[in-house]
Each structure stands twice: as structure tokens, then as C-alpha cells.
Amino acid sequence: MEPLNQKKILVTGGTGYIGSHTTVELIEAGFDPVIVDNLYNSDAQVVDNIQKITGVRPLLEVFDLCDSVKLGKFILKHKDIQAVIHFAAYKAVGESVRNPIAYYRNNLLSLINLLDVMKRYEIPNLVFSSSCTVYGQPEKLPVTEDTPLQPATSPYGNTKQIGESIIRDTTCSDKNLKAISLRYFNPIGAHPSALIGELPRGIPENLVPYLTQTGYGIREELKVFGNDYNTPDGSCIRDYLHVVDLAKAHVVSIKRLFEKKNKSDFEVFNLGTGHGVSVLEAIRSFERVSGIKLKYKITGRRPGDIEKIWADPGYANTELGWKTLSSLDQAMKTAWDWEKMIRSNNL
Ligand code: UFG
């Protein structure tokens, strides 16, 4: 087989949170990633830090995938791309409720444009960034890949469901195309170097960035959205996995496609630890790794929140040969180190 380092992978959204960690892992596995990003929710400087970590500077082309003309020109310059990992998308649940058209346009048009050029230029392999949000509140836990999907509770979630359907239909119509959809549970933390991580713009919506910002004193207190759920301590339960573990799953998925180990043309994997963690347990973890007593108060439920969800990662464990390696505390520690790094560098 051709050596991996001759394999060029297009990483859309490669300067974003999960995209940047995946780019690092791809380089470390010997691949040649090229990034397309419109920098809507990220910074070109991320490429400098990927270079600091890996010693390799991935190419970054800044444009919007909704622009099919620019995408066509880009692919013409890079006809040797052999696979695509598609991260580029809007991802804020609340914002998607306020502005659904922007979400449908951005998340679906970019995917359609990509599939179009992949078909035209015979790029046969796609890994898609999906979410456990497609399961809604499942009746049975943990969630396997066979758990029935529920109607999406937000336009964002709907773009992931529709995105998967578009990809599945395209793989049916095009015998050359194979795709893997990775349904992420809740990624947290940052690279152990503290050189890349999540840079939330404005007030964070997600738990862990809010938690670390509160620990640092940027936010006055964390609001715990509800303690009257049907869970052991009353707060919601999620499956938090370290972003570096998640990034590695993309590398094994790409290898699976290259090595033609896929069992069907459209495969789905749940990526999580298999352990549910409550909001209050996440706070305890932060307190353990930071030595800080966190200021928080219990408030009302957040509309649209799911009570509890965690993955059965068994299929990913056996089929992909992938499993999470970091504990909650290890992941939380990297989130805290990253928060301190951002603040000391005024990012
Ligand atoms: N939470 C708080 N206080 C906060 C923020 C969050 O108590 O300030 C709680 C939430 O109520 C929830 C848990 O922390 O119980 C996790 O909330 P996040 O916003 O971090 O994550 P979600 O599980 O709500 O959403 C995440 C991603 C979505 C994705 C979804 C899939 O942000 O993109 O998982 O279920 F769709």
C-alpha cells in the first residue's frame, strides 16, 4: 500500500476545536492534511500552534465552502486529495433556534457542495462530524448505534440528521463513495501542550468552558441548570470525552476507509466513554484538578436540555479498535491548563 504520508486529507474546519486536534493527530500518524476554513469561529494562528506541536505546518486556505466556485478551484489545485473530514459547521444549539435559515444554509449547503466535488473528482472517502443530538432523549441507555433517532430538538440537530441522510443517499447513488459518520458525545479539554483548545467567542454556552472561566474569575458563578431531574443527584448527565481521544477516532476512521475495512458504504459510530457524569460531578472534577472551590448556584432547567445520555462505545471499541484513554479528571485538567494559557496570553 502507498505510504500514509503520501495521502492528502482535506480537513474542513481544521482550525476549529475538534478540527485542530484532529489535524495534529493526522500529522502525527503521517498523513498530509490540508485545511479549508472560513475562520468564522476560529483563528488562523491555530496553524502556528499546530506547527509548534507537530513540527509540520499544514496548508490553510481561507474560504467558505458554501462558495462552490472557490471550492471547485481549490479541488482543481489539489486533485490528489484522497479523503475528506468534514467538521466545518455552525454548532450552537440556541443560536440555531434563533436563526434556523443560517444553520440550514451553512451546514447543508457546504456539505452538498463538498459531496458534489467529491463525486466529480472521484474522492472516495468521507468522515462526517455528527452528534449524539440525533438520538434526542433515548428511552434506553446507554445509546447504541441501533437506538432509534428522535425528531431533532433544534435546527442544529436537524442539520446533523439531514446531513447524515444526504450522505447515506449519496453513498447509495455513487458506488465509489464511502462514508463514516461519527456521532460525538460531549468533547471537552484541550491538547496536553495547551497550545490548542476551544476558544469560545463571548459567553460560553457549554458547561466546561463556562466552568473554567468561572474558576478563573471571568464569570461570577456557574449556573447549574436544574437539580430536579430523575438522576442520582438531580443534575443532567452527559458522556464527556477528551477531545484528543475524539481526534484519534478520526484517524482510525480514515485508515479504516483506506484499508477498505468498512462493512457498508455508510457507517455510523458512537464516540463516548460509556460513562455518564452529572453536572455536579463535573464540578467536583474541576475542583479536584484545579484546587479551586467553584462558585455555582442551582437555577432552573435550560429549555431543550436532555435529562441524561451516555454512549455504548462497544461497537467503536471492537470495530474501529478505538477507545477513550483519558479519565474525566485528566480531560478536565487539560481544559483548566488551556484556560490559564489563554488568559496569560490575552487570547
Ligand atoms: N450546563 C449547566 N450550566 C452551564 C452550561 C451547561 O448546568 O452553564 C449543563 C447543561 O444543562 C447540560 C450539561 O451542562 O446538562 C452539558 O451542557 P453543554 O451545553 O456543555 O452540552 P450539551 O450536552 O447541551 O450540548 C452538547 C453540544 C451540542 C450537541 C449536544 C449533543 O454543545 O452541540 O451536546 O447532545 F448537540
Side-chain angles (χ1 to χ4, degrees), residues 7 14 21 27 35 70 104 109-111 130 164 171 175 179 196 227 238 241 247 270 273 283 302 327 330 333:
K7 293 203 183 284
H21 288 83
I27 293 170
I35 298 173
K70 286 194 178 141
Y104 287 114
L109 189 53
S110 58
L111 174 64
S130 189
E164 285 194 358
T171 57
K175 279 295 127 210
I196 54 171
N227 68 345
R238 296 288 183 276
L241 75 162
N270 286 343
T273 65
I283 293 173
R302 182 169 70 174
S327 66
Q330 285 167 332
K333 167 90 171 51

Side-chain angles (χ1 to χ4, degrees), residues 15-18 20-21 39-46 49 91 189-190 194-206 209 212-213 335 338-339 341-343 345-347:
T15 58
Y17 176 41
I18 305 170
S20 58
H21 288 83
L39 304 180
Y40 166 79
N41 195 22
S42 61
D43 199 298
Q45 253 191 21
V46 167
N49 289 344
K91 60 165 190 171
L195 285 165
I196 54 171
E198 188 172 15
L199 262 183
R201 296 213 196 274
I203 301 171
E205 297 215 17
N206 295 120
T212 54
Q213 289 195 7
W338 168 244
E339 185 68 56
M341 207 288 297
I342 305 173
R343 301 306 150 192
N345 287 286
N346 279 325
L347 291 177

Side-chain angles (χ1 to χ4, degrees), residues 91-93 131-134 136 154 156-157 160 184-188 204-211 221-226 229 235-240 277-279 283 297 299-302 304-307 309:
K91 60 165 190 171
V93 175
S131 163
C132 70
T133 192
V134 299
S154 73
Y156 159 74
K160 292 297 171 193
Y184 314 151
F185 282 68
N186 288 54
I188 61 163
E205 297 215 17
N206 295 120
L207 176 65
V208 171
Y210 207 106
L211 220 158
E221 61 186 358
L222 173 79
K223 294 180 191 68
V224 174
F225 297 139
Y229 284 99
S235 64
C236 290
I237 294 179
R238 296 288 183 276
D239 186 339
Y240 298 98
V277 169
S278 74
V279 177
I283 293 173
K297 75 166 180 215
T299 64
R301 293 181 175 197
R302 182 169 70 174
D305 253 343
I306 282 161
E307 181 172 87
I309 186 164

